[in-house]
Structure formats: C-alpha cells, structure tokens
Amino acid sequence: MGLIGKVVVAQGGGPTIVINQSLVGVVLESRKSTQITSVYGAIKGVEGILNEDFIDLTMETSHNLEQVGLTPSSALLSTRDKPDERYCQELFRVLKAHDIRYFFYIGGNDSADTVRIVNDNANKAHYNLRTIHIPKTIDNDVVLNDHTPGYGSAARFVAQAFSGANLDNRSLPGVYIIVVMGRNAGFLTAASSLAQKFSDDGPHLIYLPERTFRIDDFLKEVKEVYDRYGRCLVAVSEGIRDEQHRLIITKLVDKIGRDAHGNLELTSNNFLLGDYLASIVKKNLNIKRVRSDTLGYFQRSFNGCVSDVDQHEAREVGEKAAQFAIRQNLDGSVVIERSGYYSVEYHLKPLADVAGKTRVMPDHFINPAGNNVTDTFKFYLRPLIGSGFPSAYRLQAPRVPKILESE
C-alpha cells in the first residue's frame, strides 16, 4: 500500500514537443487512485514548490488535459534551479504543509540529479516522500535509456530541415553549414543523416561532439566534397571540440555563462559557430556561395513536426511513473528499453545510476573516419521519428540530345 496524500508534478530544463504528454500521463493515472487526495502542478519546476506556486490539476478537465498533451513546450513552465540541502529544507516545509507525498519531475539528466538530491534530503529528514524522475530531452543523453521522449520529434524536425536544405543546396549549389543543438552528445545532429536518400544527397559531412574537430581536416573534407559534387551541405553540432577537448565555440566569445548545474549555455551563441565556419571556408577555399544557419530553439517545440511514436511513449512513461510510485511505493528514474523492432519496455532504475550522468553516441553509430554516421545508427533512429515521414523525389526523365553542338 502506497502513501496517502497529494501529488506534485513539475517540469525542468529545456522543453520538448511531447513533454506535456508525460505530464498528462502522471495526472490522469494519479487521479485514478483513492490514495491521492489532490494532484498539484508546480509552476516553474522546483522553484514553484519553493514559492508555493501550485495549480490544482485535480480540477482540470480530462478533455483539456488531452489538448494540453498535444501542445508543445512545458505547460507548467520550467527552471534550471539545482537544489542544495538548504533549498531542500525549504521545499520540505512546503511539502509538509500541503501533505504532498509524491514528487514527479519531468526532465533530463540534470533534473534526475535534482530528484536524487530531493530524495536524499527527504530520507535524511525522515520525510516519507516518493520521488520519481521522468525522462525527457531532445539531446537523447540520459543514461540507461535506449532513447528519451522528446528526441524522436526533434530528430524528425532535424531530418526534415536537412531534407529541405539539401534540395535548396542542390538547386543553387554552394557550401551550406547548419548548426544543431547538442552540447555533449551528437544524437540530434546525427539525425540529419535521414535526409540522405540519393547517393549525392547531403548532409555530406556530419560533425559530432564525440569526435575531435580539426579545422584543417574540416577544410580538406569540404573541398573534397565540393570538388566531387559542386556543392557541400554540412551538419555540425554546437558542442564540437578540439584536440584539447575545448569547445570550438568558446574560442569565439569572451565568456559563456553556465546554468545552475554547471552546463555551458551554448545555444545563445551557437550562431557564431556557423558564421565562423562559413568565414574560414570562404577565406581558405575561395568558394563564393557559402552560408550558415542555426536551427536554434525551433528543434525543441515546433508544433508541425511530431513523431506519433514519441507522443505515445511520452504518455506511457508518465503513466508508468505514477504506477511505480503510487501502486508499488517506489522511488527511482523511469527508463525506456528497446525490446524488439519495434517495441519498448519501461523499467525503474536507482536515481544515483542516472542522475548527473551523460550518454553519448556509441562508437558503432559513428563512421570509423569520425565523420558521418553508420547505417546502424539510421536503423536505430528510423522508428523513433514516427510514421508518415516525407521523402524527397527527383525528376527521372532522360535528357534531350543537344542539336546545335552535334552540328
């Protein structure tokens, strides 16, 4: 028998297209239980708990919850606060006052660390509280998970963006460099590879944080592709690093800020990376038509590009979190494990095994040369982006023989 009391659910870190499906899963599953007296939503993550800023989701209609589930970004708003012991003591004052016995936090590896800290301090304070981390991140970098909710939809967006960019680059050839999110893991940048259909399709070059980025090699590879096709489409992660493992982007600005968890805040400056790479191509390769773009925040919450698989799994992972906590009286982090092609299972792992850790692209997903990805990665990714993925086609009609040149 689980605890009797209230539930509080919150969302942390960057938003995703399907994060609200997990929220709805927790709320609807929790409301089924007679042990739960109310379900609260904390506005702006743990900051909302600290400020006693709650909405009563017990009073929300199921219909409206379902509509919110279909809406991108964090319905409860978000934060990157990292609680310490004193912060947690204040949290417990609020939790006790409201008789909250279940804490669900939807977020990435930093949010898992927040749940671990809250759980550890609850145990020290002898406060009976069930704490569950629900995974989400477009970076796909939460350990022990085959993949995380949010990634499939963001990967779908990236793949479609590069499919369009490839068509544009083929129509009016040149060098086109696009910067994609990914501080430490290249999963999202690698998703650009699904734009490759014909043998000369881009992206022709894909650069990931997991491999050393050398300017000389980059220029050489761009030249080789350009000489072969008369054009070159490049996908590059914002987190690429040099031989000393220093972020390339840190060489371009005087100072980059860090969030409460110590992560460099790259996205506000990553347009500089594209501009820098474009400038060195122009300067060194004497190619006239060179440009760069940065996908930025569009990857996280673009409403017109949702994976149905991603939506379904985001809902289920929220439902399973409520079942683990309320029905089984457990703490932990919910993880997704692939059990076939294509099916998944949901398991609960200790918070300490997930919190604050980062998963990166495994070697067998990256070409041995360090550039581009393997077919194994594409096989891994394809079911995650969902059904109805659009495909680009080309005119196949034969060329008409020239008359004037034959005379």
Side-chain angles (χ1 to χ4, degrees):
M1 178 71 175
L3 304 172
I4 297 175
K6 296 184 179 73
V7 162
V8 66
V9 57
Q11 297 167 315
T16 81
I17 301 175
V18 299
I19 187 172
N20 291 327
Q21 289 285 5
S22 298
L23 167 65
V24 174
V26 169
V27 174
L28 293 181
E29 194 68 22
S30 297
R31 294 198 318 194
K32 293 177 183 177
S33 176
T34 56
Q35 299 163 217
I36 305 304
T37 56
S38 292
V39 179
Y40 288 175
I43 303 299
K44 294 187 179 180
V46 287
E47 182 183 334
I49 300 175
L50 194 68
N51 296 329
E52 205 172 353
D53 191 2
F54 301 123
I55 59 174
D56 188 354
L57 294 173
T58 321
M59 304 300 292
E60 189 68 76
T61 68
S62 297
H63 173 75
N64 195 53
L65 281 170
E66 293 291 356
Q67 299 309 304
V68 169
L70 297 173
T71 304
S73 196
S74 304
L76 290 171
L77 311 184
S78 190
T79 184
R80 292 194 185 277
D81 276 12
K82 182 178 181 178
D84 56 17
E85 187 165 352
R86 183 175 179 181
Y87 195 116
C88 283
Q89 288 172 354
E90 292 302 309
L91 289 181
F92 296 144
R93 286 184 62 243
V94 177
L95 295 173
K96 289 177 182 178
H98 287 269
D99 192 30
I100 292 170
R101 295 294 174 174
Y102 298 90
F103 171 45
F104 298 97
Y105 208 23
I106 308 167
N109 36 32
D110 290 333
S111 296
D113 199 31
T114 294
V115 178
R116 178 192 61 79
I117 293 169
V118 171
N119 181 256
D120 288 348
N121 280 272
N123 291 333
K124 289 178 185 177
H126 304 291
Y127 184 75
N128 216 350
L129 178 73
R130 296 283 71 80
T131 56
I132 298 282
H133 165 243
I134 301 170
K136 73 85 205 167
T137 174
I138 66 169
D139 292 332
N140 202 34
D141 62 352
V142 180
V143 298
L144 304 185
N145 285 267
D146 176 79
H147 57 278
T148 48
Y151 172 63
S153 295
R156 185 183 178 98
F157 175 89
V158 169
Q160 289 187 206
F162 272 86
S163 180
N166 175 67
L167 295 171
D168 189 286
N169 184 241
R170 184 170 178 263
S171 298
L172 290 171
V175 175
Y176 190 9
I177 301 164
I178 303 179
V179 180
V180 184
M181 280 184 175
R183 184 188 300 114
N184 299 306
F187 286 101
L188 196 56
T189 306
S192 63
S193 64
L194 290 192
Q196 300 162 344
K197 179 179 178 181
F198 298 97
S199 60
D200 62 339
D201 275 343
H204 306 102
L205 302 171
I206 300 175
Y207 295 100
L208 310 172
E210 289 84 354
R211 294 292 182 268
T212 298
F213 183 86
R214 300 178 178 87
I215 295 297
D216 290 345
D217 289 347
F218 168 69
L219 291 171
K220 178 184 176 183
E221 289 159 355
V222 169
K223 186 178 187 307
E224 287 175 350
V225 171
Y226 190 83
D227 288 346
R228 186 183 312 135
Y229 300 122
R231 67 189 185 99
C232 182
L233 177 60
V234 181
V236 59
S237 170
E238 65 181 3
I240 53 171
R241 291 166 164 80
D242 64 14
E243 293 91 335
Q244 285 74 46
H245 208 61
R246 293 177 302 186
L247 287 158
I248 301 297
I249 199 171
T250 60
K251 302 177 182 181
L252 311 179
V253 291
D254 294 331
K255 185 177 181 181
I256 293 181
R258 293 179 181 270
D259 63 22
H261 295 268
N263 300 311
L264 287 168
E265 297 175 325
L266 302 183
T267 303
S268 58
N269 295 291
N270 62 17
F271 70 94
L272 295 173
L273 179 60
D275 290 347
Y276 167 67
L277 296 176
S279 68
I280 64 173
V281 169
K282 284 183 180 179
K283 179 180 178 181
N284 292 275
L285 300 184
N286 195 29
I287 298 173
K288 292 183 178 180
R289 195 167 191 272
V290 183
R291 72 161 298 164
S292 66
D293 275 321
T294 300
L295 296 186
Y297 291 138
F298 289 112
Q299 300 155 92
R300 299 201 303 208
S301 299
F302 185 70
N303 202 11
C305 197
V306 186
S307 161
D308 52 348
V309 171
D310 199 20
Q311 276 196 330
H312 298 158
E313 291 178 354
R315 171 63 73 90
E316 285 191 318
V317 83
E319 292 173 348
K320 290 300 295 186
Q323 291 174 4
F324 283 129
I326 299 169
R327 298 185 184 183
Q328 299 184 43
N329 203 29
L330 298 172
D331 302 312
S333 179
V334 184
V335 302
I336 299 175
E337 296 181 4
R338 192 177 303 215
S339 57
Y341 192 87
Y342 174 76
S343 61
V344 297
E345 296 176 353
Y346 304 96
H347 300 281
L348 195 67
K349 300 292 184 180
L351 289 165
D353 292 352
V354 177
K357 297 177 173 61
T358 301
R359 176 183 181 231
V360 297
M361 289 263 290
D363 288 341
H364 66 279
F365 281 177
I366 306 173
N367 275 356
N371 186 318
N372 218 316
V373 300
T374 62
D375 287 342
T376 303
F377 169 76
K378 294 180 183 179
F379 186 80
Y380 158 83
L381 175 60
R382 187 58 188 85
L384 305 185
I385 65 170
S387 59
F389 185 73
S391 183
Y393 291 85
R394 293 184 182 181
L395 296 172
Q396 302 287 353
R399 289 186 182 273
V400 176
K402 295 180 180 180
I403 296 175
L404 296 178
E405 288 189 4
S406 62
E407 293 180 350

